[in-house]
Amino acid sequence: MANSSPCLQRSSPARVTSVLYFSPAVTIICAWITFEEPLSWSIILGLFVSPTGVSMVIRSELEYSRPEYS
């Protein structure tokens, strides 16, 4: 597996892919800082949705990687 990404060599595809969900949150924060874009309550709430989903993916992956599931 010499051609695969270093991230995939150290982690699972589900975990690596779930990190992509941080991209919109980072973009919103950069736009707020750089261009002084206004933040509404729905945007702020949305900023917490992605990390919550990623943590759910990581927890479920850890739960199913226990020996009793193998």
Side-chain angles (χ1 to χ4, degrees):
M1 215 172 181
N3 294 334
S4 67
S5 167
C7 294
L8 286 174
Q9 291 175 0
R10 287 185 230 135
S11 190
S12 72
R15 185 178 283 191
V16 172
T17 304
S18 68
V19 175
L20 293 174
Y21 289 104
F22 285 125
S23 179
V26 171
T27 303
I28 289 169
I29 292 169
C30 288
W32 175 62
I33 292 169
T34 307
F35 305 116
E36 298 178 0
E37 288 283 330
L39 295 178
S40 66
W41 286 108
S42 61
I43 291 173
I44 293 170
L45 179 64
L47 289 174
F48 292 102
V49 171
S50 294
T52 302
V54 171
S55 68
M56 291 170 64
V57 168
I58 291 172
R59 279 191 205 152
S60 69
E61 184 179 89
L62 291 174
E63 187 175 307
Y64 287 114
S65 67
R66 290 187 200 153
E68 67 257 16
Y69 288 105
S70 298

